[in-house]
Amino acid sequence: MRLSSEEKTALHKLGSRRVRVYAPREDIALQGDSPVGVTLLLSGYACRYRILEDGRRQIVALFLPGDLCDPHVFILREMDHSIGALSAAHLAEIDRDTILDVLERYPRITRALWWCTMVDEAIAREWIVSVGARSARERMAHLFCELYARLDTVGLAHDGVCDMPLTQSELAEALGITPVHTNRTLQGLRAERLVTVKAGRLHLHDFDALAEAGLFSTAYLHLDHEGASFDTNEA
Amino acid sequence: MRLSSEEKTALHKLGSRRVRVYAPREDIALQGDSPVGVTLLLSGYACRYRILEDGRRQIVALFLPGDLCDPHVFILREMDHSIGALSAAHLAEIDRDTILDVLERYPRITRALWWCTMVDEAIAREWIVSVGARSARERMAHLFCELYARLDTVGLAHDGVCDMPLTQSELAEALGITPVHTNRTLQGLRAERLVTVKAGRLHLHDFDALAEAGLFSTAYLHLDHEGASFDTNEA
DNA sequence: CGAGCGATTGATCATAATCAAGCGATGTGG
DNA sequence: CCACATCGCTTGATTATGATCAATCGCTCG
């Protein structure tokens, strides 16, 4: 989705084809580690999170199947945050050298990586807008819309239903509110017949109404132009 | 600072040397525009911000002298946010073609741009942590520490003093709190003899105490390794 | 069957929002 | 040169959103 599928295949083929399976709460990389390379999330949910000295935890990004968990950090010396699996997850590892090699030799893929990084940044900015300017209800509605929209672009959403394996506590850490308040906010949305979460699946009963409730617009996902920047390049 | 100074000079020389001066509230680029290129902030404060349909405004990033306001967005078709000056500001414009050319021909600069983008992302993540997990007081303390640290790396901070031209309302939009609460929080920090803001200048009376109050650590700024990733490359 | 986890509920508290007004400096036009 | 308008800052009173504390329920699993 961020990368065109041919691009991903290329990357996947190029990388050592090691695939690792992670369990629901397992950490993939830790704050303080030196970044080892890039991983492509093949299935499941993962996240970036940060833990403050006093234990507070904030999830700062969610990874969905097809996402690259760090097209970049390999440039920095030390991870300033951690990455962990939220559900059972499969990840393909692409080592640092391969990436560096690819960056040098395949301008199309390099551009694709840029593009994908830009979209990640746009999502991060919107996340700031959510926690900074939206109410709890709006944030939750917005997040659900985003998840649905992103999963939809990779064919993992159908008829208003998609995976959403986070516990309410994890949702709370993503939204920047407490678990208790998460529960109540979710009940509110359910009472309005907008969404239900059951067995790790999210049911959107009225996407448009939910988008309105969350002041959601797809603009920042830049879905319009998928891969356009490199399609026009070097055939 | 994000770019080594030689790198910046190179970029500057390469780009059309157009320098534009902006007035305090002037917009530099608007949501919906198609990105035109890259601009290097030479002096003053600027910011990225996003306006929601109902008028709420959230500042999602601050640009300080030496920062590139968009090493990237030129890849996307449409700006999902706006960029505006917060003080009088000088910007050097580098057009899209020059950038694309440079990206293709100068791997060192390309890597430098990556590096700088990674740091921007790290800052954005920390911003999410602030609005999502820190109290108003902590956020403010954190922001002041960050600004001081960033300005310090470009030689614009001395003896606990640096520029900070934002009005309290603008500060509020950055911190995700109301102007009134910003005022009170600021008074609190002042009462604790941690900071004062006067005439657009920020006075940190006790950086360490402020860092503790804001759970601030410089790790995410990745100051340690300035430019290391390309210094080792191609001599 | 009991342990443990996640979801849920209730009661109370606190942080921050909202509303409204006033202050002080700056700047402009009559 | 003064009158007044504006803007940013400050203050007070009140409200509300969300946090905190504490307990219960239901389910799965060993």
Side-chain angles (χ1 to χ4, degrees), chain A residues 35 115 163 166:
Chain A
W115 191 80
D163 279 345
L166 306 218

Side-chain angles (χ1 to χ4, degrees), chain A residues 78-96:
Chain A
E78 185 174 295
M79 298 271 300
D80 54 50
H81 62 279
S82 304
I83 297 184
L86 289 169
S87 68
H90 288 237
L91 286 105
E93 304 183 351
I94 301 155
D95 56 72
R96 192 193 173 97

Side-chain angles (χ1 to χ4, degrees), chain A residues 7-81:
Chain A
E7 233 62 54
K8 276 185 289 193
T9 315
L11 257 183
H12 197 178
K13 268 193 296 208
L14 285 164
S16 61
R17 211 174 282 111
R18 250 175 311 147
V19 172
R20 272 207 54 179
V21 183
Y22 289 86
R25 303 293 167 78
E26 203 175 343
D27 279 312
I28 295 163
L30 286 174
Q31 206 162 317
D33 285 359
S34 54
V36 271
V38 171
T39 56
L40 175 63
L41 182 57
L42 301 172
S43 75
Y45 266 57
C47 70
R48 281 190 218 277
Y49 67 89
R50 177 115 154 60
I51 296 203
L52 297 181
E53 299 95 79
D54 66 356
R56 277 175 274 179
R57 177 169 121 140
Q58 175 71 41
I59 291 177
V60 297
L62 289 177
F63 295 121
L64 307 180
D67 286 346
L68 284 170
C69 315
D70 280 305
H72 31 9
V73 167
F74 66 91
I75 274 186
L76 302 174
R77 203 179 51 150
E78 185 174 295
M79 298 271 300
D80 54 50
H81 62 279

Side-chain angles (χ1 to χ4, degrees), chain B residues 50-115:
Chain B
R50 176 116 154 60
I51 296 201
L52 297 181
E53 299 95 80
D54 65 357
R56 277 175 274 181
R57 176 171 122 139
Q58 175 71 42
I59 291 177
V60 297
L62 289 177
F63 295 120
L64 307 180
D67 286 346
L68 285 169
C69 314
D70 279 307
H72 30 12
V73 167
F74 66 90
I75 274 188
L76 301 174
R77 202 178 51 152
E78 185 174 297
M79 298 272 298
D80 54 49
H81 62 279
S82 302
I83 296 184
L86 289 169
S87 68
H90 288 236
L91 286 106
E93 305 184 349
I94 302 155
D95 55 72
R96 191 194 174 95
D97 292 338
T98 306
I99 284 289
L100 289 175
D101 188 50
V102 165
L103 287 185
E104 218 166 286
R105 301 216 318 245
Y106 301 82
R108 275 176 74 211
I109 295 187
T110 304
R111 269 181 85 77
L113 279 174
W114 270 102
W115 191 79

Side-chain angles (χ1 to χ4, degrees), chain A residues 186 189-190 193-198 201-205:
Chain A
L186 191 50
L189 291 180
R190 193 160 41 201
R193 317 215 147 269
L194 293 175
V195 300
T196 46
V197 176
K198 206 167 51 173
R201 314 218 79 209
L202 176 66
H203 300 251
L204 302 196
H205 305 121

Side-chain angles (χ1 to χ4, degrees), chain A residues 25 167-169 180 183-184 187 190:
Chain A
R25 303 293 167 78
T167 64
Q168 291 184 2
S169 289
V180 171
N183 180 283
R184 291 180 171 133
Q187 284 181 55
R190 193 160 41 201

